[in-house]
Amino acid sequence: MSATRLIDCLVTTDALADVFSDASVLQAMLDFEASLARAEAGAGIIPARAAEIIGSSARADDFDAGAIARAARDSASPAIPLVAALTDRVHAADKTAAPFVHWGATSQDVVDTALVILLKRAKPILAADHARLASALRSQSEAHASTVMLGRTLLQPAVPITFGLKAATWFSVAEGAWRRLARACDDAMIVQFGGASGTLAALGEQGPDVGRALAEDLGLAPSLPWHTDRGRLAAVVTTCGMYTAALGKIARDVALLMQPEIGELAEPGGGSSAMPHKRNPAGCAIALAAAARLPGIVGGFLTGMVQEHERAVGGWQAEWSAVADAVQATGSAVAAMAAAIEGLQVFPDRMRANVEAMGGADLAERATLVQRAGSGGHAGRLEDSLGSAEAIRRKLLFSRAGDNA
Amino acid sequence: MSATRLIDCLVTTDALADVFSDASVLQAMLDFEASLARAEAGAGIIPARAAEIIGSSARADDFDAGAIARAARDSASPAIPLVAALTDRVHAADKTAAPFVHWGATSQDVVDTALVILLKRAKPILAADHARLASALRSQSEAHASTVMLGRTLLQPAVPITFGLKAATWFSVAEGAWRRLARACDDAMIVQFGGASGTLAALGEQGPDVGRALAEDLGLAPSLPWHTDRGRLAAVVTTCGMYTAALGKIARDVALLMQPEIGELAEPGGGSSAMPHKRNPAGCAIALAAAARLPGIVGGFLTGMVQEHERAVGGWQAEWSAVADAVQATGSAVAAMAAAIEGLQVFPDRMRANVEAMGGADLAERATLVQRAGSGGHAGRLEDSLGSAEAIRRKLLFSRAGDNA
Amino acid sequence: MSATRLIDCLVTTDALADVFSDASVLQAMLDFEASLARAEAGAGIIPARAAEIIGSSARADDFDAGAIARAARDSASPAIPLVAALTDRVHAADKTAAPFVHWGATSQDVVDTALVILLKRAKPILAADHARLASALRSQSEAHASTVMLGRTLLQPAVPITFGLKAATWFSVAEGAWRRLARACDDAMIVQFGGASGTLAALGEQGPDVGRALAEDLGLAPSLPWHTDRGRLAAVVTTCGMYTAALGKIARDVALLMQPEIGELAEPGGGSSAMPHKRNPAGCAIALAAAARLPGIVGGFLTGMVQEHERAVGGWQAEWSAVADAVQATGSAVAAMAAAIEGLQVFPDRMRANVEAMGGADLAERATLVQRAGSGGHAGRLEDSLGSAEAIRRKLLFSRAGDNA
Amino acid sequence: MSATRLIDCLVTTDALADVFSDASVLQAMLDFEASLARAEAGAGIIPARAAEIIGSSARADDFDAGAIARAARDSASPAIPLVAALTDRVHAADKTAAPFVHWGATSQDVVDTALVILLKRAKPILAADHARLASALRSQSEAHASTVMLGRTLLQPAVPITFGLKAATWFSVAEGAWRRLARACDDAMIVQFGGASGTLAALGEQGPDVGRALAEDLGLAPSLPWHTDRGRLAAVVTTCGMYTAALGKIARDVALLMQPEIGELAEPGGGSSAMPHKRNPAGCAIALAAAARLPGIVGGFLTGMVQEHERAVGGWQAEWSAVADAVQATGSAVAAMAAAIEGLQVFPDRMRANVEAMGGADLAERATLVQRAGSGGHAGRLEDSLGSAEAIRRKLLFSRAGDNA
């Protein structure tokens, strides 16, 4: 069964919809509780037997996600009914263990950490698609290092470039943005654990040790509590916005070059023998839809960061859906563009013809300037005038893409 | 089983999650196809037998929503795999009927009309909760027509008002915004039907008649095609934003007045005998989360309205999720605030005490002005100075709330 | 001297920059104070002599806008230093008149009313440019009622339409959005007058009469106070967003059709004999820049509507710049598109050639359907197949444009 | 004379309005042209005499900003009329020098580099105010290391904390966000220089050397062209959004604690002997207004990043105002909060009284847990239970603030 809802079919992928599915979200919250109990048992704070029972009770299959979702509205938090339901299950197994569920933690600890766990599951999915995209862009750039095409500014012809340079620029834009996003994700792989006060006061001097053990058990980094410091999550969401915008830039370029009157590129798929360049830019449409969706999610997240005191009323509660939406739309965009570029058809003859139709070599920048300075001279072959400068530029774009991040 | 996903537990309700569930979305698209076939059979354009078979094949239960969602990514449209799947089912029943599926329509016709059908299902859910909220606000206002409390500007004490006036202002803000939203929904209850050209060229002179019959069959109004004229949908989304902001204003006020040091209001639920005013403003948090979510959705929708030619690449594809998100968050907010205001506890003694602590009758505006003009005089009882002006104002707020819409 | 700042050269016009210039903003606030004094003198509340002196002192040239702007930061309101400066001037003329400056009003009364006065000055500027645009679109549509061109979906060729229909659709999109905006502006032409309490308590029973006289003096409509009911202003800002999106849609279409490989349109200006279709879409760029700017302004305004109690801390203070930015960017867009469409060059031969290159009459919708149903037949001339349906549609688009508003 | 416009009085400061004033913007563009000429003369590409004349002609005072702003609309770029005006002045001085103005550059080179020059002027202004804020927060935190106050979640009392910890958290939130912003600004201090093609083709093999010399002359770093790679600018704008949100969080907390019923803090200024805690949170209002403004600007910038080909139509043209607005609103917020925190009055007695009113030591987390586990025991003094955990936490917040960036 697919995890993607039909209404969201263009703004997620099955793999990411699965990450944010009920079973996955439930398990992430339960993993926090189980790890917490183990860490506290290890420190001698709660009985080892309690930790065992909590751990064996923390299986998503045994919980009713719908009931928890409904009950969450009473407290504006899914953690409270989740902890209650877990406590019930533990109590049924061994009532002496029940008081030790969620010991010393606050509801935001479980909700925030669960979100981080979901991000950790999502990141490799995005990374794999980005790697496909980056690799495909590099291949296209190398294959077309000498393929001359029009540069275009304000949708009007400018001096010629090579398609190799254009693809290298796409690579650089996407790679730089991806490095920002990947770094933001890695920075956000931290546990949330502060207790009600943000000082772990309930655990006395053992607080920091328990925090470290908890983080290790979950495969996350320890951290000072960040209940109202949403900077790292904000970095994830804003870099999703920047990365999706980068993909949107590529998608718009491809869709424009697929116009049959231009006919320089085609997405894989469809097409007909009669009109070989007639293909819908479906992947581009998906990426552009994501690029239209992200700015608002980013804006909403930033709005919500103005949080009251030690836990917000409203701003924090808006975050779960915002992060889930941002990550899924981003993943939908990169999956679409990876497939589009991998299968991209390039028509060098049309590129050349479009350059010639606009004036050919006379368009070249050097020719224009030479003329302006009144020194006469002749323009020469386009390939020659472009060749060396472009080759250097292309190389630099690949080697320095990270510098822009 | 609940339709609400856990990750979205604070930004939708079960009733609205059900409207945007796979079964509901599928059926809305299939209803379009069935009605279209009936309308065209009625006009003699397709065989009556074909319409019958299409109608009896258009049952959501027989389709695989997940497969359609996945296939939608190939064409950037859920309509194309839906029509293909329906055609297959019709073909299995009677292969001569299959060519008449979706006759003369374009994929945007089915997608847009389905969205309108979903809006039509959603509106009464919102309306019922709004009616509860409006009624509760009116009751609170009447019950507290003479309950004096502090007016507050920039979170500092200003001249006293009555809680009756405050509740009347809330009513007026919410009612005005609701009327805008309700009108926008009603205006948007139109069929989309233009065919590939937007001129129904395939149906010749019968196009408009078929359009009218189709609309009637679906319980919608006929309309000129609006493939790239998204004004009516934009009005729905922007008024959702305005209405949710209005609810957010009420929610923020209530949450502020629930602070125990102020202690003038309490949401129903929780509480303890030791601290009667200690209740979490859970309903307010949900409404405020929606108010943080909507502005970005509105912004994204407006961004997407810059559509290319006769159907956009990206802007249109972003709309389905945006409208679904907007309506669900709006409905989540009004459901939360209706419950919060219906069960709202008001503490007139605390209101009075807070006024007295700030200086009592000397705070009154008239007293201040009288003093400024140096004419001496005495302030008198607060109730007296507030009484008549407030009563008039309250009455006007109820009678003219619609005027602001 | 130009009122436009260089940094804002593409997001305003001289005429609108002048509306929001220091002199204009100052005078709008002073007009409120002068009118208020006259209205109160008329009701016998303040001395007639005081009103005269206040009126003659309320001249923008005599005030230091910069000093007021700086001082505004101390109170988070420009009204407080403005009233202080006016009181000083009145005091210098007649110290007995000074206490009657701003009598019974609150600082939000002057700030909000001043904003409305500025909107009232801005609206006819926008209206004049919209009228030029609408008229130009109608002329283009009529001149090209039979000019066949490609319909295009997802930037790929679809069934042919006429340029007359396309221009009529542009007209309908823009006209519908304009009607919404014009109505929202008209609805917002209301005075703000509530005093500190929002009940005009200081004026006793004369409050409503003074409010009416004040409104009349300013050429505005009277209103219940709307200190925290920002619905009407929100409608102005959101409809600016919708209208600018409509202009952006036209601008994107024009810019796309100006691509030399398509070559169907050209903005006036520039160009060369060698490449007649080579013109930069400068007007389109300006409209599209506005369309990129507005969604965020709208989102920010909606965010700010979640206002605390009787006057917000933050949300209200963000409004002045937001409304000024929204109106100026909108006016910049419509001025640009009015000029672009008035001088638009249309190249019917290229339109025809692009249709033929994609398959000509065989593209027509009817031909495709006829073929699908296996009934053979022949497509006929494109003009004939488009003629009647398009003519009807065009007529309806012009007659019903308002219906979409 | 003040550079601040009255309409923008709450969203900029005089110092920043001056950075984005006509004179400053003009000079930034002219500096690019003068430096370019010097760099090219140094490389022997243009005559030394031409560079001298260009340099001596590039004085902002000699240009008419208004005329350039108006003319910018014809080409959707301020660079084109600026270069034309400079060429005129150079021609008047020595007509042989005129052809060498702007040699090898494209209009986006001058516009983008000018924006970077303005950012470079703005950053130290922001940095100085941030340093004041950070220092004031640290002082407050140290002075109140043992001042017990209520923790508050969802605006309801939670376990007690110290004001020292709260101020340390504010420091950490602001410092982390500032480091992100400062780094993004530093990364963006790069010259834009690519010529029409982005390959400096006009300069042949000397392109990179000229680029380096130009950058050095301007005090910027050299860079590959970034005409359509807006990642670094996007990072500036998004981190402005994150930093302003951090300031908004502090501002909201302060405004809430200034409510007289709570009365724990007061901004400096105003106040009265009768009501010592009655002060308007004017600085907070300004910071919150900025926090309401930024998310939309960020969203708009991200939207504009979906740029077409080698220079966008619309997206790029929207950037100048967006960046100027973002930086000014950010600077307005930090200036306001620096002043607010420097002069912040803290009322430890009220903090203590509010804790006691809610139950005092019994509120403490450890007490609650001890009770839940049924082990009895006694809560002890609040200071003791908070002391050590808080002290450790505070120290870490100061030492690790950068880690969150």
Side-chain angles (χ1 to χ4, degrees):
Chain A
M1 193 202 124
S2 166
T4 302
R5 294 186 307 173
L6 192 49
I7 194 80
D8 289 332
C9 59
L10 302 183
V11 296
T12 189
T13 64
D14 268 10
L16 288 167
D18 189 62
V19 169
F20 294 99
S21 67
D22 282 358
S24 172
V25 172
L26 260 181
Q27 194 58 58
M29 291 198 287
L30 291 166
D31 285 352
F32 171 86
E33 300 294 349
S35 291
L36 174 64
R38 276 193 293 272
E40 292 177 332
I45 294 172
I46 71 168
R49 163 105 184 120
E52 272 166 46
I53 292 175
I54 293 169
S56 63
S57 302
R59 279 194 285 256
D61 288 351
D62 298 332
F63 290 79
D64 177 348
I68 291 170
R70 263 190 305 280
R73 293 180 64 86
D74 295 334
S75 55
S77 163
I80 290 171
L82 182 278
V83 170
L86 175 60
T87 304
D88 282 352
R89 288 198 70 81
V90 170
H91 190 272
D94 177 350
K95 67 182 177 179
T96 69
F100 299 103
V101 171
H102 195 64
W103 183 266
T106 191
S107 61
Q108 193 173 355
D109 291 342
V110 55
V111 170
D112 280 350
T113 303
L115 185 58
V116 169
I117 293 170
L118 299 175
L119 279 177
K120 195 181 173 198
R121 290 183 194 156
K123 195 206 154 186
I125 300 172
L126 271 65
D129 282 330
H130 173 74
R132 287 171 55 208
L133 172 65
S135 167
L137 287 170
R138 186 184 284 272
S139 300
Q140 295 284 5
S141 181
E142 282 164 9
H144 294 283
S146 310
T147 303
V148 175
M149 72 183 296
L150 276 174
R152 292 173 170 101
T153 56
L154 285 85
L155 294 180
Q156 293 294 312
V159 298
I161 56 174
T162 61
F163 182 59
L165 180 64
K166 190 166 190 109
T169 302
W170 290 344
F171 172 88
S172 176
V173 169
E175 183 69 17
W178 169 255
R179 292 200 193 177
R180 288 182 199 274
L181 171 54
R183 195 186 317 141
C185 282
D186 292 344
D187 286 351
M189 292 301 115
I190 52 175
V191 81
Q192 174 69 284
F193 185 49
S197 63
T199 59
L200 296 174
L203 304 184
E205 294 181 1
Q206 291 171 296
D209 287 341
V210 171
R212 271 186 293 273
L214 167 62
E216 192 177 348
D217 200 73
L218 289 167
L220 302 176
S223 168
L224 289 177
W226 43 284
H227 293 128
T228 57
D229 186 352
R230 316 308 280 175
R232 293 190 190 207
L233 272 189
V236 171
V237 174
T238 55
T239 54
C240 278
M242 290 161 70
Y243 180 58
T244 306
L247 300 176
K249 187 264 180 292
I250 302 173
R252 183 161 290 169
D253 281 2
V254 171
L256 288 168
L257 295 173
M258 284 175 68
Q259 294 171 102
E261 295 88 348
I262 291 178
E264 301 182 3
L265 297 178
E267 269 197 40
S272 75
S273 55
M275 286 190 284
H277 307 316
K278 164 79 167 109
R279 308 263 174 86
N280 271 334
C284 296
I286 288 172
L288 287 164
R293 187 168 169 78
L294 258 291
I297 298 175
V298 171
F301 192 94
L302 293 174
T303 298
M305 288 174 74
V306 180
Q307 310 222 341
E308 292 87 4
H309 295 318
E310 282 62 63
R311 188 173 317 145
V313 53
W316 174 65
Q317 290 80 4
E319 281 184 5
W320 251 28
S321 295
V323 175
D325 290 351
V327 170
Q328 289 177 89
T330 302
S332 173
V334 65
M337 290 315 294
I341 302 295
E342 282 180 339
L344 193 70
Q345 283 185 274
V346 184
F347 304 102
D349 291 351
R350 288 295 299 270
M351 291 180 173
R352 160 66 62 174
N354 288 335
V355 172
E356 295 301 339
M358 294 304 135
D362 293 334
L363 280 173
E365 194 172 5
R366 198 172 182 92
T368 313
L369 272 183
V370 162
Q371 215 167 15
R372 190 169 94 189
S375 58
H378 183 63
R381 285 204 335 137
L382 255 177
E383 280 77 356
D384 297 342
S385 74
L386 290 178
S388 64
E390 295 247 331
I392 295 165
R393 189 73 53 189
R394 280 208 320 116
K395 195 172 296 180
L396 290 172
L397 282 167
F398 284 107
S399 65
R400 293 199 197 154
D403 300 358
N404 259 8
Chain B
M1 192 201 125
S2 167
T4 303
R5 293 187 307 173
L6 192 48
I7 194 81
D8 289 332
C9 60
L10 302 182
V11 296
T12 189
T13 64
D14 269 11
L16 288 167
D18 189 64
V19 168
F20 294 99
S21 67
D22 283 0
S24 173
V25 171
L26 259 181
Q27 193 58 59
M29 291 199 287
L30 292 166
D31 284 351
F32 171 86
E33 300 294 349
S35 290
L36 174 64
R38 276 193 292 272
E40 292 177 333
I45 294 171
I46 70 167
R49 164 102 186 123
E52 271 167 45
I53 292 174
I54 293 169
S56 62
S57 302
R59 279 193 287 254
D61 288 350
D62 299 332
F63 291 79
D64 177 349
I68 291 170
R70 264 190 304 280
R73 292 180 63 87
D74 296 334
S75 55
S77 165
I80 290 172
L82 182 278
V83 170
L86 175 59
T87 304
D88 282 351
R89 288 198 70 79
V90 170
H91 191 272
D94 176 351
K95 68 181 179 179
T96 69
F100 298 105
V101 171
H102 195 64
W103 183 267
T106 190
S107 61
Q108 192 173 356
D109 291 342
V110 56
V111 170
D112 280 349
T113 302
L115 185 59
V116 168
I117 292 170
L118 299 175
L119 279 178
K120 196 182 173 198
R121 289 181 195 159
K123 195 206 154 187
I125 299 171
L126 272 65
D129 282 329
H130 174 74
R132 287 171 56 207
L133 172 64
S135 168
L137 287 170
R138 186 184 285 270
S139 299
Q140 295 283 7
S141 180
E142 281 164 10
H144 294 285
S146 309
T147 302
V148 175
M149 72 182 296
L150 276 173
R152 292 173 170 100
T153 55
L154 284 86
L155 294 180
Q156 292 295 310
V159 299
I161 56 174
T162 61
F163 182 58
L165 181 64
K166 190 166 189 111
T169 302
W170 290 345
F171 172 88
S172 176
V173 170
E175 183 69 16
W178 170 255
R179 291 200 193 177
R180 288 182 198 272
L181 171 54
R183 196 186 316 141
C185 282
D186 292 344
D187 285 352
M189 292 299 116
I190 52 175
V191 80
Q192 175 69 285
F193 185 49
S197 63
T199 59
L200 296 174
L203 304 184
E205 294 180 1
Q206 290 171 297
D209 287 342
V210 171
R212 270 187 294 273
L214 167 62
E216 192 178 348
D217 199 73
L218 288 167
L220 302 175
S223 168
L224 289 177
W226 43 283
H227 292 129
T228 57
D229 187 351
R230 317 308 282 176
R232 294 190 188 206
L233 272 189
V236 171
V237 174
T238 56
T239 56
C240 278
M242 290 161 70
Y243 180 59
T244 305
L247 300 176
K249 188 260 181 293
I250 301 174
R252 184 161 290 168
D253 282 2
V254 171
L256 288 168
L257 296 174
M258 284 176 67
Q259 294 171 102
E261 295 88 348
I262 291 177
E264 300 181 4
L265 297 179
E267 269 198 39
S272 74
S273 55
M275 286 191 284
H277 307 315
K278 164 79 167 109
R279 309 263 173 85
N280 271 334
C284 296
I286 289 172
L288 287 164
R293 187 168 169 79
L294 258 290
I297 298 175
V298 170
F301 192 95
L302 293 174
T303 297
M305 287 175 74
V306 180
Q307 309 221 339
E308 293 86 5
H309 295 320
E310 282 62 63
R311 188 171 318 145
V313 54
W316 175 66
Q317 290 81 3
E319 282 184 5
W320 251 28
S321 296
V323 173
D325 289 351
V327 169
Q328 288 177 91
T330 302
S332 173
V334 65
M337 290 315 293
I341 301 296
E342 281 179 340
L344 193 70
Q345 281 184 275
V346 183
F347 304 103
D349 291 352
R350 289 296 298 271
M351 290 179 172
R352 161 66 62 174
N354 288 335
V355 172
E356 296 301 339
M358 294 303 135
D362 292 335
L363 280 172
E365 194 173 5
R366 196 171 183 92
T368 314
L369 272 184
V370 162
Q371 216 168 12
R372 190 170 93 190
S375 58
H378 182 63
R381 287 204 330 137
L382 255 177
E383 280 77 357
D384 297 341
S385 75
L386 291 177
S388 63
E390 294 246 331
I392 295 165
R393 190 73 53 190
R394 280 207 322 114
K395 195 172 297 180
L396 290 172
L397 282 167
F398 283 107
S399 66
R400 294 199 196 154
D403 299 359
N404 259 9
Chain C
M1 192 200 126
S2 167
T4 303
R5 294 187 306 174
L6 191 49
I7 194 81
D8 289 333
C9 59
L10 302 182
V11 295
T12 188
T13 64
D14 269 10
L16 288 167
D18 189 62
V19 168
F20 293 99
S21 67
D22 283 358
S24 172
V25 171
L26 260 182
Q27 193 58 58
M29 292 199 286
L30 291 167
D31 285 352
F32 172 86
E33 299 295 348
S35 292
L36 174 63
R38 275 193 292 273
E40 292 177 333
I45 293 172
I46 70 167
R49 164 102 186 120
E52 272 166 44
I53 292 174
I54 293 169
S56 62
S57 302
R59 279 193 286 255
D61 288 351
D62 299 331
F63 291 78
D64 178 348
I68 291 170
R70 264 190 304 280
R73 293 180 63 87
D74 295 335
S75 55
S77 164
I80 289 171
L82 182 277
V83 169
L86 175 59
T87 303
D88 283 351
R89 289 198 69 79
V90 170
H91 191 272
D94 176 350
K95 69 182 177 179
T96 69
F100 298 104
V101 171
H102 196 64
W103 183 266
T106 191
S107 61
Q108 193 173 355
D109 291 342
V110 54
V111 170
D112 280 351
T113 304
L115 185 58
V116 168
I117 293 171
L118 299 175
L119 279 178
K120 197 183 171 197
R121 290 182 194 157
K123 195 207 154 185
I125 299 172
L126 271 66
D129 281 331
H130 174 73
R132 288 171 55 207
L133 172 65
S135 167
L137 287 170
R138 186 184 285 271
S139 300
Q140 296 283 6
S141 181
E142 282 164 10
H144 294 284
S146 309
T147 302
V148 174
M149 72 183 295
L150 276 175
R152 291 173 170 101
T153 57
L154 285 86
L155 294 180
Q156 292 294 312
V159 298
I161 56 173
T162 62
F163 182 58
L165 181 65
K166 190 167 190 110
T169 302
W170 290 345
F171 171 88
S172 176
V173 170
E175 182 69 16
W178 169 255
R179 291 199 193 178
R180 287 182 199 273
L181 171 53
R183 196 186 315 140
C185 283
D186 293 343
D187 286 352
M189 292 299 116
I190 52 174
V191 80
Q192 174 69 284
F193 186 49
S197 63
T199 60
L200 295 175
L203 305 183
E205 294 181 1
Q206 291 171 296
D209 287 341
V210 171
R212 270 186 294 273
L214 167 62
E216 193 178 346
D217 200 74
L218 288 167
L220 302 175
S223 168
L224 288 176
W226 43 284
H227 293 129
T228 56
D229 186 352
R230 316 309 281 176
R232 294 190 189 206
L233 272 189
V236 171
V237 174
T238 55
T239 55
C240 277
M242 290 160 70
Y243 180 58
T244 305
L247 300 176
K249 187 263 180 293
I250 301 173
R252 185 161 289 168
D253 282 2
V254 171
L256 288 168
L257 295 174
M258 284 176 67
Q259 294 170 102
E261 295 89 346
I262 291 178
E264 301 181 4
L265 297 179
E267 268 198 40
S272 75
S273 55
M275 285 191 285
H277 307 317
K278 163 80 166 111
R279 308 264 172 85
N280 271 335
C284 296
I286 289 172
L288 287 163
R293 186 168 170 78
L294 258 292
I297 298 175
V298 170
F301 191 95
L302 294 174
T303 297
M305 288 175 74
V306 180
Q307 310 223 339
E308 293 87 3
H309 295 319
E310 282 60 64
R311 188 172 317 144
V313 53
W316 175 66
Q317 290 80 3
E319 281 184 5
W320 251 28
S321 296
V323 174
D325 290 351
V327 169
Q328 289 179 88
T330 303
S332 173
V334 65
M337 290 316 293
I341 302 295
E342 282 180 340
L344 193 71
Q345 282 185 275
V346 183
F347 303 103
D349 291 352
R350 289 295 298 272
M351 291 179 172
R352 161 66 63 173
N354 288 334
V355 173
E356 296 300 340
M358 293 305 135
D362 292 336
L363 282 172
E365 195 173 4
R366 199 174 180 90
T368 314
L369 272 183
V370 163
Q371 214 167 13
R372 192 169 93 189
S375 58
H378 183 62
R381 287 206 329 137
L382 254 178
E383 281 78 356
D384 298 342
S385 74
L386 291 177
S388 63
E390 294 246 331
I392 294 165
R393 189 73 54 190
R394 279 208 322 116
K395 196 173 295 181
L396 290 173
L397 281 168
F398 283 106
S399 66
R400 294 200 196 153
D403 300 358
N404 259 8
Chain D
M1 193 201 122
S2 166
T4 303
R5 293 186 309 171
L6 192 49
I7 195 81
D8 288 333
C9 58
L10 302 181
V11 296
T12 189
T13 64
D14 268 11
L16 288 167
D18 190 63
V19 169
F20 293 99
S21 67
D22 282 359
S24 173
V25 172
L26 260 181
Q27 193 60 58
M29 292 199 287
L30 291 166
D31 284 352
F32 172 86
E33 299 294 348
S35 291
L36 174 63
R38 276 192 293 272
E40 291 177 332
I45 295 172
I46 70 167
R49 164 102 184 123
E52 272 167 45
I53 291 174
I54 292 168
S56 62
S57 303
R59 280 194 284 254
D61 288 350
D62 299 332
F63 291 78
D64 177 349
I68 291 170
R70 263 190 304 281
R73 292 179 64 86
D74 295 335
S75 54
S77 165
I80 290 170
L82 183 278
V83 169
L86 175 60
T87 304
D88 283 351
R89 288 198 69 80
V90 169
H91 191 271
D94 177 350
K95 69 182 180 180
T96 68
F100 298 104
V101 171
H102 195 66
W103 182 267
T106 191
S107 62
Q108 193 173 355
D109 291 342
V110 55
V111 170
D112 280 351
T113 303
L115 185 59
V116 168
I117 292 171
L118 299 176
L119 279 177
K120 196 183 172 197
R121 290 182 195 158
K123 195 208 154 186
I125 299 172
L126 271 65
D129 281 330
H130 174 73
R132 288 171 54 209
L133 172 65
S135 167
L137 286 169
R138 185 183 286 270
S139 300
Q140 296 284 6
S141 180
E142 282 164 9
H144 294 285
S146 309
T147 303
V148 175
M149 72 182 296
L150 277 174
R152 292 174 169 99
T153 56
L154 285 85
L155 294 180
Q156 292 294 311
V159 298
I161 57 174
T162 61
F163 182 58
L165 181 64
K166 190 168 189 108
T169 302
W170 290 343
F171 172 89
S172 176
V173 169
E175 183 69 17
W178 170 256
R179 292 200 194 176
R180 289 182 198 273
L181 171 53
R183 195 186 317 141
C185 282
D186 293 343
D187 285 352
M189 293 299 114
I190 52 174
V191 80
Q192 173 69 286
F193 185 49
S197 62
T199 60
L200 295 174
L203 305 184
E205 295 180 1
Q206 290 171 296
D209 288 342
V210 171
R212 270 188 294 274
L214 167 62
E216 192 178 349
D217 200 73
L218 288 167
L220 302 176
S223 169
L224 289 177
W226 42 284
H227 292 128
T228 56
D229 186 352
R230 316 308 281 176
R232 294 190 188 206
L233 272 189
V236 171
V237 174
T238 55
T239 56
C240 279
M242 290 161 69
Y243 180 59
T244 305
L247 300 176
K249 187 264 182 290
I250 302 173
R252 183 161 289 168
D253 281 2
V254 171
L256 288 167
L257 295 174
M258 284 176 68
Q259 294 172 102
E261 295 89 348
I262 291 177
E264 300 181 3
L265 297 179
E267 270 198 37
S272 75
S273 55
M275 285 190 286
H277 307 317
K278 163 79 168 108
R279 308 264 173 84
N280 271 334
C284 296
I286 288 172
L288 287 164
R293 187 168 170 79
L294 258 291
I297 298 175
V298 171
F301 191 94
L302 293 174
T303 298
M305 287 174 75
V306 180
Q307 310 223 339
E308 292 88 2
H309 295 319
E310 281 61 65
R311 187 172 319 144
V313 54
W316 175 65
Q317 290 81 3
E319 282 184 4
W320 251 27
S321 296
V323 174
D325 290 351
V327 170
Q328 289 178 89
T330 302
S332 174
V334 66
M337 290 316 293
I341 301 296
E342 281 180 339
L344 193 71
Q345 282 186 276
V346 183
F347 303 103
D349 291 352
R350 290 294 300 272
M351 291 178 171
R352 161 67 62 172
N354 288 335
V355 171
E356 296 301 340
M358 293 305 135
D362 292 335
L363 282 170
E365 194 172 6
R366 197 170 181 93
T368 314
L369 272 183
V370 162
Q371 215 168 15
R372 190 169 93 190
S375 57
H378 183 61
R381 286 203 333 136
L382 255 177
E383 280 78 356
D384 298 341
S385 74
L386 291 177
S388 63
E390 294 247 330
I392 296 165
R393 189 73 52 188
R394 279 208 321 116
K395 195 173 296 181
L396 291 172
L397 281 167
F398 285 106
S399 65
R400 294 199 196 154
D403 300 357
N404 258 8

